[in-house]
Amino acid sequence: MPKSREHGQGALYWVESRKMWRAVLDVGFDEVTGKRVQKARMSKSKDEAVKKLNAMLRERDSLGMVMDRSTRVAELAEVWLADVADRAKPKTLTNYRSNVRTKILPALGRRVVSELTPADVRRMHAAIRASGAGYASVASAHRTLVTMLEYAKSERVLSGENVAMLGPPRRGRVGKAKDSFTREQAKALLRVEDARVTLGLLTGLRSGEAMALRWEDIDFDRAVAELSWSLTEASFRHGCNGTCGKKRAGNCPRRILEISDSLEAVPLEGRLVLVRPKNDTPRQIPLTPAAVQQLQKLRRSDDGPNPYGLVWHRANGAPKTNTDDNDHLRTVLTQAGIDEPPATTHWLRHTYVTLSEHAGIPWAAAAGVSGHGSPEASDPYRHVLTSEGRKAVTTLSAWVENQ
């Protein structure tokens, strides 16, 4: 029988079948069944059981709950992924699943969620680096872990701090790679008069937004384009309830695109779908006279199939992919005489933010075009242009000398 204690202070008793002491505490009632809910801890000694019971009492009285000390990271991940699948965009969901399967679970899967420490997070970082992955992979997995643990807090699995927020991943040794074109390179690219590159440099639109742009979204009279969609890839899931015998869902004869019912999306071809842009906020971008002329020229030359009315598409009318977009940029770079093998179309967005900063354009005006929601979101896109920095230093030196 449990040892008598004051009401609400729990109970302590010996469990003969397990040869252990059990500390039990009432924590409320089930909202559905109305039954009493208890939390229990087991210990080999009575003194340890008393300590655990007192710890549960402190947690209940100070936090309003007793911490979950049984749910492991692997169990949390399964529930969280099922929950987030109802609202996440396809690419985001795919990234979450990949990070959980290949990076988080191998390092932390068996750990109890409430017992995670910053050291555990650093251990995960180290394991990812040891696999040969770079900082971007570490940072992506870290962001996924942060989001998952925030979910754990909302579900009362975790009542303390989100330990992943206490120790962001450290950058490795900085290499020579850059993410922005110089001012002179931007001038050379604009001289090629390619509509895709011109819009990227002067508006900072994302690759997915460019690939989703339709002719109906462009108002030539007002010289504006409406960015209402973004092109992305969704994953397939089995539509046969597992009866087809195929391991990969993409090979299932009755495969279904995995898109949440709550997500506004337009399927195009294969895994390619249109979803609302980042932050779910459509926006208008202004078009310069040169950009209008280049787009009109492109439209006049577009005499092939185009079932989706896309501004940029493959020769057969199918939507372009990020690979197609990057290949096109490299063609334009060659035409402009620019040797930047690692460049991608995302460099155009970085260049837009960098040049806007150096041109003295207010952040609010530039961000209204690029779609950045905060100055902090723009920070990774800011780069120092050496020539412009030299002018600033020279000007400052002259100002000081002449005063």
Side-chain angles (χ1 to χ4, degrees), residues 84-196:
V84 80
D86 289 335
R87 59 183 183 278
K89 291 182 178 179
K91 189 174 181 180
T92 301
L93 182 59
T94 298
N95 185 56
Y96 282 159
R97 286 174 171 165
S98 176
N99 282 334
V100 166
R101 184 183 72 255
T102 64
K103 299 177 179 66
I104 295 176
L105 294 189
L108 305 177
R110 294 184 60 81
R111 294 284 288 137
V112 174
V113 175
S114 62
E115 296 176 357
L116 286 174
T117 66
D120 290 320
V121 179
R122 292 193 296 271
R123 182 162 56 82
M124 181 189 78
H125 296 166
I128 298 171
R129 291 192 183 96
S131 70
Y135 172 78
S137 295
V138 177
S140 178
H142 184 88
R143 289 192 296 270
T144 299
L145 181 62
V146 167
T147 305
M148 186 169 68
L149 293 184
E150 284 299 292
Y151 170 81
K153 292 179 68 174
S154 70
E155 293 296 307
R156 302 174 75 84
V157 174
L158 181 66
S159 62
E161 292 181 297
N162 184 334
V163 295
M165 288 185 172
L166 303 178
R170 295 188 296 272
R171 280 188 174 274
R173 188 168 52 187
V174 178
K176 297 176 64 176
K178 61 179 181 178
D179 297 308
S180 177
F181 295 111
T182 67
R183 184 177 180 181
E184 291 303 316
Q185 288 174 329
K187 289 168 66 175
L189 287 170
L190 290 175
R191 285 196 291 268
V192 177
E193 298 185 351
D194 178 86
R196 169 66 184 97

Side-chain angles (χ1 to χ4, degrees), residues 108-319:
L108 305 177
R110 294 184 60 81
R111 294 284 288 137
V112 174
V113 175
S114 62
E115 296 176 357
L116 286 174
T117 66
D120 290 320
V121 179
R122 292 193 296 271
R123 182 162 56 82
M124 181 189 78
H125 296 166
I128 298 171
R129 291 192 183 96
S131 70
Y135 172 78
S137 295
V138 177
S140 178
H142 184 88
R143 289 192 296 270
T144 299
L145 181 62
V146 167
T147 305
M148 186 169 68
L149 293 184
E150 284 299 292
Y151 170 81
K153 292 179 68 174
S154 70
E155 293 296 307
R156 302 174 75 84
V157 174
L158 181 66
S159 62
E161 292 181 297
N162 184 334
V163 295
M165 288 185 172
L166 303 178
R170 295 188 296 272
R171 280 188 174 274
R173 188 168 52 187
V174 178
K176 297 176 64 176
K178 61 179 181 178
D179 297 308
S180 177
F181 295 111
T182 67
R183 184 177 180 181
E184 291 303 316
Q185 288 174 329
K187 289 168 66 175
L189 287 170
L190 290 175
R191 285 196 291 268
V192 177
E193 298 185 351
D194 178 86
R196 169 66 184 97
V197 174
T198 296
L199 259 65
L201 285 172
L202 299 183
T203 69
L205 81 169
R206 302 174 178 91
S207 178
E209 294 169 342
M211 296 302 94
L213 190 64
R214 302 163 300 178
W215 289 116
E216 66 185 73
D217 300 323
I218 300 176
D219 187 331
F220 286 109
D221 293 332
R222 295 173 53 230
V224 296
E226 183 84 17
L227 300 182
S228 301
W229 298 97
S230 180
L231 186 70
T232 189
E233 291 187 356
S235 299
F236 287 116
R237 62 180 174 85
H238 283 276
C240 63
N241 294 321
T243 61
C244 71
K246 303 292 185 181
K247 184 175 181 180
R248 294 180 64 252
N251 294 331
C252 175
R254 299 169 63 184
R255 66 187 187 186
I256 300 172
L257 279 174
E258 189 171 31
I259 304 174
S260 169
D261 292 337
S262 63
L263 190 68
E264 191 174 2
V266 180
L268 296 184
E269 291 189 9
R271 297 197 299 147
L272 297 174
V273 297
L274 297 181
V275 297
R276 290 304 182 185
K278 197 169 184 179
N279 302 322
D280 295 320
T281 306
R283 68 185 189 281
Q284 287 187 341
I285 57 173
L287 304 175
T288 63
V292 169
Q293 291 179 4
Q294 292 166 25
L295 285 166
Q296 289 175 329
K297 180 180 178 181
L298 178 64
R299 188 172 191 179
R300 288 193 298 269
S301 65
D302 186 9
D303 55 1
N306 189 6
Y308 309 110
L310 298 170
V311 175
W312 290 285
H313 57 83
R314 290 180 171 179
N316 63 358

